[in-house]
Amino acid sequence: MDHTLGCFWRLLWTLMLLRLPPQGIHGFFPNFWSRAMSFAWGSITHQDMTEEAILNITLRLFMEMPHPKGKCIREEDFKDRTLLADDIFAAFFGPKVSAKRFRGAIAQVANANAAMDFLNTTRDDPVLHFDSELIHSANAWLLQARKEILQAVHSEQYGIAREKLGQLLHTLQDFYSHSNWVELGHQHIHPHLLKPGREIKSIAEADIQTCSSCSYWTCEGNLLEGLAAKGLLTTGYYGTRPEKPIGKCSHGGKFDDSRHRDPHGGINKDSSSLFFSPHHYLHSEAAALAQEASTHFLEILWREIGNKQFMRLLDISPATGLSFVVDTTGSMGEEINAAKSQARRIIDSRRGTLQEPDFYLLVPFNDPDFGPVLKTSDSQKFWEFLDTISPLGGKDEPEMCLSALELALQNSPPYSEIFVFTDASAKDAHLKNSVEALIQEQKCKVTFLITEDPSRTRVKRETLAPDRFNLYINLAHSSGGQIIFTNNENIRRVAEIIGESSVSSVTLFYHQKGTSFKLEGSHKRSRRQATKQEVHSFWIDSLVDNVVITIQGAIWAFAIRDPAGSTQTSTSLHGPLAEVQSIGGIYRVLLFSPVRTGEWTLMLQSKGNYSIHIQGQSTLDFLHYFAVQVDGRHPGLLKMDSSPIEGVPIYLVVTAMGLSQPESGSVQLQAVNLAGKTGSLGELSLQKGTNKTDLFVAELPPSLLINGSFTVVLRGVDSEGRKVERAAPQVATVVGSLLELSRDTPVFPGKPVSIAWKLTNPGSFKQYGLKASTVPQLPVNISSSRLQLGPNQTATGQMTLHAPSAAVPGSVITVTLQASSLHPAGDPTFAHIHLLVMPPPPVHNLSLPFCNTSLVDGSCSPLEPHCHTHHWTATLRIWDEAGVHSVQVEGGVVVPHQADGLAELVTYTSDCCLPKATLVVTNRLGEKYLCQVEAPVEIPGKVAAFPDVSSEGTAAVATWWQVLLAFMVTCLAL
């Protein structure tokens, strides 16, 4: 029976494969979902190796660091256990510390790694996947990526560093799957790979055959014996870019077309499946070396940048940052002093503790100015800058609040909380959609502390709309933050909520009645005004502590009742259940610990609009992102930087923290609910994404994703079967289009920058308008500013700009692209990309040629009337320490290039109608130079005359003896 079932499933899988499109696979499978799509359950993915390497190196870091309580962290305590971030954090920081930001950083690195197999600019580039024997160029790319990571870290641009780290680890891991390093018998990682100043030698040159054909899915023994005898490295060719030369190895697998070109078969070890990997039997060995190499690189990086910066790179900290956006107009004296007071208190009270902020950010604004951004990890530097802020001029509304908030969001790490101090409405309300998109992308909370300037109220009451702060209310709500209305007398006390900010804060309940609030305390009004009793229920589970209820608005009185029936009213400041604080019309209720588990009730006597915000502290929390399934060439889940797309099948990926509780046992997650404005959009079951216990997936049917917004609510039970719920702080907004940006070469001062964009329309016919902006402001050209897309159509193009010559290395250019649906009219879609400016590349020694023509075969006669029947071929060798990115004929036709030792070989063929050609070579730094090639002139009755070969730009085209002479001169000079 078992045998019959096994045969059935194998037959079904084979039939499925035959129906799949003829595309290919690069590298180890990208992420956990790849296993489910390919049925290769035993395969180790890029995500697995990346997460495991980060956890291993973090454990080593904790073993070496002084423990805050003198405890010794030992590796043997984790032996024979699945390594989990929660366990490592609990061992060092204690069981009540959330690993949320750390888990977010790991996910960012792992998703950037997987995206190398999905994005247009990276998925087909053989250099980024160690394909096509481009070993020298791939190692050059790794070394350049290493420089970018170090530059980003030293400039405190840790988000950019994490993205680049994920990309680097992908290429590094691919070396062990795509090369024959394992087949050569090596049991340790390559000693010279990704090592500055080291050269990778013993590479099979272009004229050395490397593989023989194999007839079966398993290609054991297809590497030629001469490779092992000489210890020569090779990698497989993939597809047709570049074309595989006869005698070279293919990548192999079901979707690689090059496997049909002699020699047949392939050598990749990407998976444990014979359908995808001809050398599947070596998958475990290749994955083990790839993970070892990843851990080794992380350890070298750690030692080079030190404990403090390495911990910031991966957010290995239980602390949050401190981010202020402050209105500096003349009426803001009390608010600025309150911000200073809280900042000083936090700096002094948390210095040297685990809760010391690991970054500080300040963005001032008024009208018409906003910025600059101060971002630092030095508390003293932050305090000195904050202390210079003073209110200057300006008594009129509105101010540039959203411009400053946008800057703060662009520069704050994910999962930050940003505090905005102002007493004025926003002059730049048109930025609302862009700010909301950044909030969802960065998963940041924004809390507004708003005071009323009495002079504005008296002098210009008629010009100030009562709903002018509604924009702030909506932004606070959609971000999961709060909006606190107060006055100058109480701003210092209200600002104390900043000190309560914690990475382990979770939102338990939120309710907002109406959008316009009365700023004065309602309890000061006449009792004769009609009141209405309203009742709200909320659940406090066994894993929550330090619960705070904030109530403001038109509230006359309230009472709270716990699950046992005990009650306390607002007039009882120190009752049986809580401490009640009344601050200028704001009630803050601090429930006593331990908080009773179960359903609580809040009864309000209201006379108008009000808001309720209830939060607590808990290590049970979750991160989530939306993803689309990618089939064919690179199966897996592609994380979307944008919101979910209307009408598109979307997957919700959930990473849970705190499922195992030392005191109350484990939590079992069961479902996820999408809570809309008017009720539940639907409840979906969760399935585990890996053999680990903390990764879950839910499929969101297109029917649920209709234009609107919703909150993700996670549901489960604790060890005693009692209900547990957690809601994501941010509200997800469904959009109508998918917009993506990517950039594959570094940015240098004074150099042009090209950014690829891709716009997908999954819905009905739309007309779009594209608009780009940058910070700092720079002119941007877009290949298409107007376009039309039908259902399921995609458009691609380029944005170009020029990095300023005065741009400081380590600075960042943020580019935002907005795609607006013009017809039918709809909300715009946004995409952002952050460009790190690198130091200018070194000037190359022009005495050494980059490009030379080694052979020209064939000739052309100027008298030949049928030029199209005669052909000529030029063979060029290119040296470039940065690696060759592309070779094109001037005008756009791509010319294939392949490795030839340390050089790369280019073969250009043309008919005699074009006896000359200019080839444009672009290296991995984006530098371009020209190579001129020309056919020999055939004169009747004479030997063909070979022309002088010229060079332009930084290219020097030379004959072989010129190359040899140049190298000899250089060697003598050294």
Side-chain angles (χ1 to χ4, degrees):
M1 183 68 176
D2 292 341
H3 176 72
T4 303
L5 281 174
C7 290
F8 169 76
W9 284 112
R10 283 195 294 273
L11 175 62
L12 178 61
W13 174 230
T14 303
L15 292 173
M16 289 174 62
L17 283 174
L18 293 175
R19 292 183 60 83
L20 289 173
Q23 298 177 353
I25 262 186
H26 277 317
F28 293 101
F29 284 164
N31 52 30
F32 70 96
W33 200 243
S34 308
R35 283 190 290 263
M37 295 178 66
S38 62
F39 295 98
W41 303 110
S43 297
I44 301 169
T45 68
H46 281 291
Q47 179 180 358
D48 296 327
M49 292 181 287
T50 300
E51 292 182 352
E52 198 72 16
I54 292 175
L55 292 176
N56 272 293
I57 209 67
T58 303
L59 180 57
R60 293 185 197 177
L61 172 70
F62 285 165
M63 289 166 57
E64 292 190 16
M65 284 180 59
H67 191 274
K69 295 184 179 180
K71 185 179 177 182
C72 179
I73 306 297
R74 302 179 305 171
E75 190 171 8
E76 48 264 36
D77 293 338
F78 295 88
K79 193 174 182 180
D80 301 326
R81 290 169 52 187
T82 300
L83 209 56
L84 298 174
D86 285 356
D87 294 344
I88 297 174
F89 249 54
F92 192 81
F93 295 118
K96 293 189 177 296
V97 172
S98 173
K100 185 173 183 176
R101 288 181 57 211
F102 179 46
R103 297 299 302 275
I106 294 175
Q108 187 178 1
V109 176
N111 285 324
N113 185 323
M116 293 281 276
D117 280 337
F118 300 134
L119 298 178
N120 286 342
T121 53
T122 57
R123 66 185 181 191
D124 296 323
D125 191 331
V127 169
L128 301 182
H129 302 280
F130 267 105
D131 288 331
S132 307
E133 292 190 311
L134 297 174
I135 296 173
H136 171 66
S137 293
N139 191 47
W141 184 88
L142 286 173
L143 292 171
Q144 175 61 30
R146 178 183 178 276
K147 291 179 182 177
E148 293 183 50
I149 293 169
L150 290 173
Q151 179 66 68
V153 167
H154 295 323
S155 304
E156 298 191 344
Q157 300 293 341
Y158 296 111
I160 295 175
R162 285 192 286 271
E163 292 284 333
K164 206 67 189 181
L165 176 60
Q167 296 171 7
L168 178 147
L169 291 178
H170 184 104
T171 302
L172 178 63
Q173 291 160 2
D174 272 356
F175 170 79
Y176 295 95
S177 172
H178 293 181
S179 76
N180 64 329
W181 180 256
V182 173
E183 288 86 346
L184 288 174
H186 296 292
Q187 297 181 352
H188 300 285
I189 63 176
H190 196 296
H192 298 154
L193 188 65
L194 191 47
K195 294 291 179 63
R198 300 288 185 90
E199 183 180 302
I200 299 179
K201 299 180 179 179
S202 301
I203 299 174
E205 297 191 358
D207 59 347
I208 295 179
Q209 295 192 358
T210 56
C211 267
S212 60
S213 288
C214 60
S215 303
Y216 305 99
W217 291 105
T218 299
C219 285
E220 193 165 359
N222 63 329
L223 284 157
L224 298 181
E225 293 181 0
L227 295 179
K230 297 179 181 178
L232 296 180
L233 272 176
T234 185
T235 65
Y237 282 74
Y238 174 79
T240 57
R241 295 193 301 177
E243 191 83 34
K244 183 184 78 172
I246 299 296
K248 292 293 187 180
C249 298
S250 288
H251 176 87
K254 172 64 183 174
F255 300 135
D256 178 16
D257 288 340
S258 80
R259 78 185 194 282
H260 299 303
R261 183 179 173 90
D262 191 56
H264 304 157
I267 64 169
N268 90 73
K269 298 162 282 295
D270 293 344
S271 73
S272 59
S273 168
L274 57 86
F275 294 107
F276 296 107
S277 302
H279 283 198
H280 59 90
Y281 53 92
L282 293 174
H283 170 70
S284 296
E285 289 87 341
L289 287 181
Q291 183 175 312
E292 181 186 343
S294 302
T295 305
H296 180 67
F297 173 75
L298 287 171
E299 179 161 11
I300 291 175
L301 181 63
W302 162 31
R303 305 296 183 188
E304 184 166 352
I305 65 179
N307 289 0
K308 198 170 185 180
Q309 284 193 312
F310 188 77
M311 292 177 73
R312 287 181 177 140
L313 169 64
L314 295 175
D315 276 343
I316 307 173
S317 168
T320 57
L322 192 60
S323 295
F324 286 164
V325 176
V326 181
D327 186 341
T328 60
T329 49
S331 59
M332 287 291 295
E334 288 298 323
E335 292 86 344
I336 292 172
N337 288 334
K340 290 179 180 180
S341 174
Q342 283 303 309
R344 182 80 264 177
R345 182 178 300 178
I346 290 172
I347 290 171
D348 291 341
S349 64
R350 299 186 186 180
R351 182 180 286 117
T353 71
L354 296 178
Q355 295 298 326
E356 181 177 2
D358 57 0
F359 77 93
Y360 300 86
L361 184 137
L362 175 64
V363 185
F365 70 93
N366 46 59
D367 179 24
D369 299 322
F370 58 94
V373 178
L374 172 74
K375 184 179 179 181
T376 180
S377 57
D378 186 334
S379 61
Q380 188 59 35
K381 181 178 178 182
F382 173 77
W383 170 250
E384 290 173 356
F385 186 81
L386 179 61
D387 200 36
T388 64
I389 299 294
S390 58
L392 295 172
K395 288 286 184 181
D396 58 328
E397 286 209 12
E399 312 291 351
M400 303 294 285
C401 182
L402 294 198
S403 298
L405 178 55
E406 187 176 46
L407 274 181
L409 287 163
Q410 290 170 348
N411 287 275
S412 293
Y415 316 109
S416 298
E417 188 161 6
I418 301 171
F419 297 94
V420 181
F421 290 80
T422 187
D423 61 359
S425 57
K427 184 176 185 177
D428 42 11
H430 63 279
L431 293 176
K432 173 182 176 291
N433 289 325
S434 177
V435 168
E436 283 186 329
L438 279 169
I439 286 171
Q440 294 193 34
E441 180 182 324
Q442 292 291 88
K443 301 290 192 297
C444 287
K445 291 183 182 180
V446 182
T447 292
F448 292 85
L449 294 96
I450 299 179
T451 54
E452 179 97 41
D453 176 10
S455 64
R456 291 178 177 169
T457 305
R458 289 194 305 268
V459 177
K460 298 190 175 183
R461 182 182 298 274
E462 70 283 357
T463 65
L464 300 180
D467 61 352
R468 64 190 182 281
F469 294 121
N470 285 4
L471 176 59
Y472 298 157
I473 294 172
N474 292 333
L475 287 175
H477 172 55
S478 64
S479 75
Q482 300 185 61
I483 182 159
I484 305 293
F485 289 100
T486 185
N487 51 38
N488 288 342
E489 295 175 3
N490 294 290
I491 182 61
R492 286 179 180 260
R493 290 189 64 194
V494 169
E496 292 176 4
I497 67 167
I498 297 171
E500 298 170 359
S501 175
S502 168
V503 73
S504 58
S505 295
V506 295
T507 299
L508 302 176
F509 180 81
Y510 178 84
H511 178 79
Q512 177 180 307
K513 180 182 179 182
T515 56
S516 298
F517 290 89
K518 300 297 183 181
L519 303 190
E520 67 273 14
S522 57
H523 59 284
K524 295 181 181 179
R525 296 193 199 164
S526 170
R527 292 172 180 259
R528 290 174 296 179
Q529 186 174 347
T531 62
K532 177 182 178 183
Q533 179 167 323
E534 301 191 33
V535 179
H536 300 279
S537 298
F538 58 96
W539 185 271
I540 297 180
D541 60 63
S542 58
L543 310 177
V544 176
D545 203 356
N546 297 329
V547 177
V548 179
I549 305 172
T550 304
I551 308 169
Q552 64 176 320
I555 300 297
W556 171 253
F558 67 86
I560 54 173
R561 183 170 62 233
D562 74 1
S566 298
T567 303
Q568 179 177 338
T569 65
S570 53
T571 58
S572 178
L573 300 184
H574 293 279
L577 303 179
E579 175 189 345
V580 178
Q581 299 175 350
S582 178
I583 312 171
I586 301 168
Y587 288 105
R588 288 175 52 77
V589 183
L590 287 67
L591 299 187
F592 295 137
S593 297
V595 182
R596 191 181 295 274
T597 299
E599 187 174 68
W600 288 64
T601 304
L602 177 61
M603 297 155 286
L604 303 171
Q605 294 291 333
S606 74
K607 293 179 289 188
N609 296 337
Y610 62 88
S611 72
I612 306 167
H613 188 277
I614 306 176
Q615 70 175 24
Q617 289 190 329
S618 176
T619 55
L620 177 66
D621 203 353
F622 72 100
L623 303 172
H624 74 281
Y625 63 84
F626 300 100
V628 291
Q629 182 170 296
V630 180
D631 299 311
R633 182 172 298 187
H634 312 103
L637 285 181
L638 169 61
K639 175 186 177 295
M640 300 164 54
D641 289 330
S642 71
S643 302
I645 311 299
E646 183 178 358
V648 174
I650 298 292
Y651 288 84
L652 174 69
V653 182
V654 171
T655 301
M657 284 80 65
L659 291 180
S660 178
Q661 299 287 328
E663 297 178 358
S664 54
S666 61
V667 175
Q668 291 185 342
L669 297 182
Q670 299 172 324
V672 61
N673 180 55
L674 307 185
K677 291 182 178 179
T678 57
S680 174
L681 302 180
E683 185 161 295
L684 308 166
S685 61
L686 287 169
Q687 56 180 307
K688 286 187 178 180
T690 67
N691 58 349
K692 294 184 178 182
T693 59
D694 53 5
L695 187 64
F696 300 85
V697 183
E699 184 176 0
L700 279 58
S703 58
L704 293 183
L705 299 178
I706 302 172
N707 192 19
S709 59
F710 60 87
T711 300
V712 176
V713 181
L714 213 57
R715 291 181 173 171
V717 293
D718 64 14
S719 57
E720 297 183 13
R722 295 172 297 190
K723 181 176 71 172
V724 173
E725 282 190 355
R726 288 293 179 272
Q730 291 77 29
V731 176
T733 302
V734 180
V735 296
S737 309
L738 176 62
L739 185 60
E740 303 166 81
L741 300 179
S742 55
R743 161 82 177 164
D744 61 349
T745 53
V747 175
F748 300 106
K751 299 292 184 181
V753 180
S754 179
I755 301 166
W757 59 262
K758 179 181 177 182
L759 177 62
T760 303
N761 172 34
S764 58
F765 173 86
K766 290 186 180 71
Q767 292 181 347
Y768 290 96
L770 299 184
K771 180 182 178 181
S773 61
T774 67
V775 177
Q777 292 185 355
L778 300 170
V780 183
N781 294 317
I782 307 178
S783 54
S784 302
S785 58
R786 292 285 189 276
L787 63 148
Q788 300 178 353
L789 291 178
N792 298 316
Q793 283 191 334
T794 294
T796 59
Q798 298 285 326
M799 290 189 295
T800 56
L801 56 97
H802 217 85
S805 300
V808 178
S811 60
V812 173
I813 301 172
T814 300
V815 182
T816 301
L817 183 62
Q818 173 181 325
S820 300
S821 179
L822 304 178
H823 182 75
D827 290 335
T829 301
F830 294 86
H832 308 86
I833 189 169
H834 306 288
L835 308 176
L836 179 72
V837 179
M838 291 294 293
V843 178
H844 295 288
N845 183 356
L846 297 184
S847 66
L848 287 179
F850 285 106
C851 169
N852 79 282
T853 303
S854 59
L855 177 67
V856 180
D857 184 27
S859 59
C860 295
S861 170
L863 304 178
E864 175 58 55
H866 304 290
C867 59
H868 63 277
T869 62
H870 291 74
H871 292 78
W872 62 283
T873 299
T875 302
L876 301 92
R877 289 168 63 85
I878 302 174
W879 288 267
D880 194 311
E881 63 182 13
V884 174
H885 179 264
S886 66
V887 182
Q888 294 177 288
V889 179
E890 200 169 41
V893 180
V894 175
V895 183
H897 59 97
Q898 67 183 85
D900 187 19
L902 297 179
E904 294 190 38
L905 206 63
V906 176
T907 303
Y908 172 78
T909 300
S910 175
D911 59 35
C912 285
C913 299
L914 294 172
K916 297 181 180 180
T918 299
L919 303 184
V920 181
V921 180
T922 305
N923 68 10
R924 306 300 304 188
L925 299 179
E927 299 173 308
K928 298 180 184 292
Y929 42 90
L930 307 180
C931 290
Q932 303 277 355
V933 291
E934 185 175 353
V937 179
E938 182 182 347
I939 300 175
K942 295 186 178 181
V943 178
F946 287 82
D948 292 331
V949 186
S950 62
S951 65
E952 290 187 28
T954 59
V957 185
T959 58
W960 272 105
W961 67 268
Q962 289 173 312
V963 177
L964 180 60
L965 178 61
F967 274 108
M968 290 175 63
V969 169
T970 303
C971 292
L972 289 173
L974 295 174

